Amino acid sequence: MPAQWMVGIAFVILGGALAAGFVWIALDARTEEWDGVYKRAGLLRRRWFVGLLAFAVVAFAVSMTWLPYQFVRAAQLPGQPLAVAVTGQQYAFNLDTQCLPTDKPVEFSVTSKDVTHGFAIYSPDGHIVGQTQAMPGYTNVLRVSLPTPGTYILRCDELCGPGHPFMQRQITVGSCGGSAGACGASACG
Amino acid sequence: MTTMQATSESVLRDPARVRTVNRLTVLWVLTGFTLLLILGLAGLLMRAMQSGILGNAALTWFYPILTLHGIGMVALVALVPLAGCWYIFAQRVPMSTRLWAVCYGATVLAVVLVLVSTLIGKFGTGWTFLYPLPYNSTGAWEVWSFVPFLLAVTIVVLVVLAIDIEFLWRGIRKYGSIGRMYGLEFLADPHPADDGRPRTDLATIAMTTTALTWIPAALLGAVLVVLELIQVFVPGFSISALLAKNLTFFAGHMLVNVGLYMAAALLYVILPVYAKRPWRVARYVVIGWLATTVALWFAFYHHLYQDFAQPDATQVIGQVFSYVSAFPALLVTLFGGVMLVWRSGIRWSTAPIFLYMGMAGWAIGGTGAILDSTAGINQFMHNTLWVAGHFHGIMAMGVMMFFLGTLYYAYPVLTGRALSERIGHAAAAFIGVGGWTVVLVFFLSGVVSEPRRYAVQLPGTEWLALVGMLGAVLVAIGGLLIAGDLIRSVRRPVSSPTEPERQPGPAPAPA
């Protein structure tokens, strides 16, 4: 399941619970009562605090393993990666390879010649599997694993001018004719 | 009572001043509502363009309108709650009506400048004017159009800054110190003894937080504006894109957050009037707002999660403080507001309906924001329409609902003219259903990785923009119902009932 769907499900559960709570309180607001509410509110607030704190601590600890930065990715995706230099410019991505392997990590070094662009990698099923920014004067290093072969699309997702929605490029993952980078632009899109 | 206090009281009760305060407030509220309507229609237009029903118009007009909608709404989110807070504090301290009138004139000028920049100059960088895009338009706009845009931004920054500084100055004179405005004495003693000096309240604490966080943000924002202006006139000059982005989001994130916290101050004052229960200062409230003050300084780093050149530490710090900033909202304001309403016997008139909707919008939109503020999740959702979902949840269905609640509370009090409850309820229904349609479609679009700020949607997803547009149409109907009732109240006024609950009272009693 794409990560986005899991985020969506988490939102439906958490947001839905909050929405249900708001509706329930609104419907239960018509009866006037003070003493009971006053006493129970303090207790509820303490429980709400402890519950939120526990949830936040666990979520934070788990989420540190999802970080996309080098100090985490280098440990999670060991081995010699294929280095790919990417330069964004209005409104194209220049890459020094056209094919990417499925069996080893890929390390994109991303920069820009003009303005800040986004560099989002869309899988064949249409979801973002990783991204970073292409910023002039800086090189952002993104290490990813692309185990599913197929045609991926690189899209700019940072507003970079009127041609922004058209800044994209296809790239093939797998079927690289024996070695990464072996196929040309005409073969790989 | 000291001589100074007596003088202050007589100034506050001066009938001429009261009239000026009321008129200025009505002017701000009506101007804010009109701009909200126009900018909302600009949003509707953008969804129509994205749905494809307007043909190639999107290619020319989408980005100028996006920029107009974005900067306009960000300014409104800050200025409209500021106007409400100014009115509240003008009841308690002699806030300068002259300064506030100048701020109004400057804001009108800012509106004109933004219109010139976007609709004539076709300036289209989005409200964040991410460096160095303003100077690299590939022919879509000329650099001159950036100047009126920057001047308009400067005006908004200075208006909030001026009122924050005046608030702090007058607050210190009234309460004695910034510490007492924060209620620090509650940390030592949950029930401090009466010492003959005024005690703070929730709205004052929220506004103090706003002032102390906005002052540094405004100064750093001013540095960015100056650097950008230099490059306009000295094209060979340039700055670091990463530095500029940090400055943009330090000030920009702060601006929308101070708007949210000033909106919370309105909630603190108005909701108790309808719930008929006091909303008191307590130790956990003071701790919560102190935590918010600190968290706001560092949470903005979550805007730079995809800038891997940032130090890794700042990315983790950004997530820590994003989480921290959620606690006061959930534990103090939202939980407190819900408990205020629970079994209160509240009569669901239009004002509390909008206020309650605002709390729900803040909570549910905030849930989407917290998920996205997790760096490991952000790598999949960053710059997708998920982001538009969470900030429309918090801002459109949160802050703007607080504003409409304030309008329905304040307008009859200030003008003596009643608004129709029947129309108010109908408007709330249209805005609630339509608004959440808009927001949920944004969230769903984020789940399918639709990038934000695309004039042309990804193939096959145009229907999502169309559904979002239909939601925006419902919101527009709700807005026009309110506008029609406001116009009717001017042409055929009906006196406002003099219910005690509608009288603007003094600050809620301290604990």
Side-chain angles (χ1 to χ4, degrees), chain B residues 132-323:
Chain B
L133 180 58
Y135 314 97
N136 294 273
S137 72
T138 57
W141 64 84
E142 292 180 26
V143 176
W144 71 260
S145 64
F146 188 32
V147 176
F149 182 89
L150 275 179
L151 293 177
V153 169
T154 305
I155 287 172
V156 173
V157 166
L158 291 179
V159 164
V160 182
L161 183 66
I163 299 305
D164 277 350
I165 290 173
E166 189 193 8
F167 163 78
L168 278 182
W169 178 55
R170 296 195 188 280
I172 290 169
R173 284 167 70 96
K174 178 179 173 74
Y175 296 102
S177 67
I178 289 178
R180 283 184 66 92
M181 291 167 75
Y182 256 124
L184 294 185
E185 67 271 26
F186 286 86
L187 298 180
D189 180 358
H191 304 287
D194 185 7
D195 56 6
R197 290 188 292 168
R199 195 73 72 189
T200 193
D201 70 337
L202 289 163
T204 303
I205 295 174
M207 191 67 182
T208 306
T209 300
T210 295
L212 291 183
T213 49
W214 182 241
I215 289 171
L219 294 175
L220 286 179
V223 169
L224 177 66
V225 167
V226 169
L227 292 173
E228 299 257 20
L229 274 175
I230 291 174
Q231 187 161 344
V232 170
F233 298 103
V234 185
F237 177 82
S238 66
I239 57 175
S240 153
L242 191 57
L243 171 67
K245 191 169 180 181
N246 274 279
L247 291 173
T248 295
F249 284 107
F250 182 69
H253 180 81
M254 203 76 91
L255 185 62
V256 292
N257 273 274
V258 298
L260 179 60
Y261 298 139
M262 287 187 286
L266 298 177
L267 184 74
Y268 290 150
V269 172
I270 301 173
L271 191 59
V273 175
Y274 293 94
K276 295 179 180 157
R277 286 175 175 170
W279 200 345
R280 295 188 173 119
V281 178
R283 182 186 283 169
Y284 76 93
V285 172
V286 177
I287 293 171
W289 279 102
L290 286 171
T292 299
T293 308
V294 176
L296 268 182
W297 283 61
F298 301 103
F300 82 97
Y301 284 129
H302 59 223
H303 290 278
L304 291 102
Y305 281 156
Q306 300 314 316
D307 292 284
F308 294 6
Q310 286 268 98
D312 291 331
T314 63
Q315 313 290 29
V316 176
I317 287 169
Q319 184 171 328
V320 169
F321 284 100
S322 298
Y323 281 19

Side-chain angles (χ1 to χ4, degrees), chain A residues 35-49:
Chain A
D35 288 344
V37 169
Y38 189 75
K39 285 173 189 162
R40 286 163 70 184
L43 180 65
L44 282 172
R45 191 179 56 246
R46 280 190 287 278
R47 287 181 180 170
W48 180 226
F49 172 68

Side-chain angles (χ1 to χ4, degrees), chain A residues 25 28-38 41, chain B residues 268-280 336-346 508-509:
Chain A
I25 293 286
D28 201 28
R30 294 188 182 125
T31 321
E32 281 193 56
E33 184 189 334
W34 176 238
D35 288 344
V37 169
Y38 189 75
Chain B
Y268 290 150
V269 172
I270 301 173
L271 191 59
V273 175
Y274 293 94
K276 295 179 180 157
R277 286 175 175 170
W279 200 345
R280 295 188 173 119
V338 163
M339 285 299 114
L340 204 72
V341 168
W342 190 29
R343 295 186 179 171
S344 64
I346 193 169

Side-chain angles (χ1 to χ4, degrees), chain A residues 4 22 28-29 31 33 48 63 66 69 73 90-91 122 128 131-133 138 140-141 156-158 164, chain B residues 136 138 240 245 277 305-306 308-309 312 319 330 342-343 345 356 367 379 382-383 447 449 453-454:
Chain A
Q4 287 84 354
F22 272 96
D28 201 28
T31 321
E33 184 189 334
W48 180 226
S63 75
W66 306 335
Y69 309 121
R73 287 288 166 88
Q90 292 167 314
Y91 299 97
Y122 278 70
I128 294 172
Q131 64 171 303
T132 186
Q133 296 260 293
Y138 294 88
N140 291 326
V141 178
C156 175
D157 64 354
E158 184 66 75
H164 171 52
Chain B
N136 294 273
T138 57
S240 153
K245 191 169 180 181
R277 286 175 175 170
Y305 281 156
Q306 300 314 316
F308 294 6
D312 291 331
Q319 184 171 328
L330 286 168
W342 190 29
R343 295 186 179 171
Y356 196 74
T367 303
Q379 66 183 311
H382 182 79
N383 273 347
V447 168
S449 289
R453 294 171 170 163
Y454 262 29

